Amino acid sequence: MSYASKRYLFYIVITAISVSLPFITVDGNHFFLFNFDNKQLHLLFTKFDMQELYLMPFLLIMLFLGIFLMTVMGGRVFCGWACPQTIFRVVYRDLIETKILGIRKKISNKQKEPEGNAFKKFIAILLWSALAILAGADFLWYFVPPETFFQYIQNPLEHTTLMIFWASIALFLIYDVIWLKENFCAYICPYSRVQSVLYDDDTIMAIYDTSRGGDIYNDEKEKVIEKAKDLPEGSECTTCEKCVTVCPTHIDIRKGLQLECINCLECVDACTTVMGKLGKPTLVNWSSVREIDQKDGKTKYFRPKTIGYLVIIGIMLFALLKMGSEKEHMLLNINKETRLYSIKDAPDGGKRVTNGYVFLFQNTDSEDHKYYFTVDNPKIKIFRPKKDFKIRAGDKTKKVVVLYTDEVLAEDPRKDVTIHVKINAYALDKPEEIKVTREAIFVYPRKDLISQ
């Protein structure tokens, strides 16, 4: 099977996954969803709230290190095999323009732009515009869940921000795929600049074997050979230019490493076909400089650079899974009131000191629960609330909390005393599974205020 056929199959698989994944849920949780409406992150079918977004740095670090590792090992293989820009261009150029409408004569010639037949070009734009609208919606489904998205678009005037984003994404994709084309890869995408400092002799990429084919370009990257007869004796390149005409980014792979190369391997397929008819192996290989130039050299997949990336990614993944597994099914924020305390007469004739708080509870579980809490200091008791309270799944509630003591906790004549206490909040039906502990302070007044 040619590399092109493998790529097309891979495109179908990842497109199917990217379109269907937003619709797959487990207990109402998505595989990945960064929900701005509810300020939530869904990851691996687990829901995390804003207070738990400390996981995001780990995800971003793993993303960038993964890209670096992939580039060190396989060059711009992501660009040629998984990048949406490349997939969209293949759909428009190879499927719509060539296979469906016949505006282009051959998929193998990507250098010549189609001419004439304005009606078919207009139909091609309409077809791609419809797909761009779908692609824009699919992108938004990772930020607005589909079930919410379809509700919103029924009342577009009430959700103008969403509609503007959707229209902007679709318009960009139309302009990008139809008019900007591969110039995006060559001049706009920053990834091409990153790859140049990550490549080494063991990076797998499309490479022209000059020792067999002959030098078509000199050291200054100037083309010095036009016809095969001008090559030195023994050179196998036929100068058929098939590897050039098939290139979607309009480069000549015989020129050497170029930033525009996206490792789509179309040139490898083209040369394999031509040289195969001559009974010879291809001159353009998906290989490394070490294997091509040194002949007997073997590509070192595990080298200090790649091992370092793997170790760091492993550490980040372990930390992410560890912290994700300790997800709290309830959240609790405690804020002290501005008034430090209140002093009243106690029923036993002494003094009662009260402290006021605002507790913000959030039920991050998928079920409704009843909650209450305790204070770890036996001398400090709960005055309010008197009984447990119910919070629906995903909801938040504020509770005014008053703690008090009728006992003497300190006798400092100079200043108020701060006493640290622990608040243990829990769900009554699952006290061992759904619980959190937070620290708070109880301020006890100085001695002279108690004595008055």
Side-chain angles (χ1 to χ4, degrees), residues 14 120 251 263 301 355 371 395 398 401 425:
I14 61 176
K120 284 188 175 182
I251 65 171
N263 255 356
Y301 294 100
N355 278 214
Y371 297 92
D395 282 355
K398 285 184 179 180
V401 175

Side-chain angles (χ1 to χ4, degrees), residues 93-94 107-112 245-248 250 266:
R93 181 191 60 232
D94 296 356
I107 291 178
S108 59
N109 190 347
K110 298 180 175 62
Q111 306 307 312
K112 187 177 180 180
T245 56
V246 79
C247 180
H250 314 295
E266 296 255 14

Side-chain angles (χ1 to χ4, degrees), residues 374-405:
T374 60
V375 184
D376 71 337
N377 191 325
K379 297 181 180 181
I380 300 176
K381 298 178 174 57
I382 303 171
F383 182 79
R384 181 180 178 185
K386 298 291 187 182
K387 58 181 181 179
D388 56 72
F389 45 90
K390 183 178 180 180
I391 307 177
R392 295 185 180 278
D395 282 355
K396 303 176 183 178
T397 187
K398 285 184 179 180
K399 288 292 177 182
V400 175
V401 175
V402 179
L403 304 181
Y404 76 96
T405 182

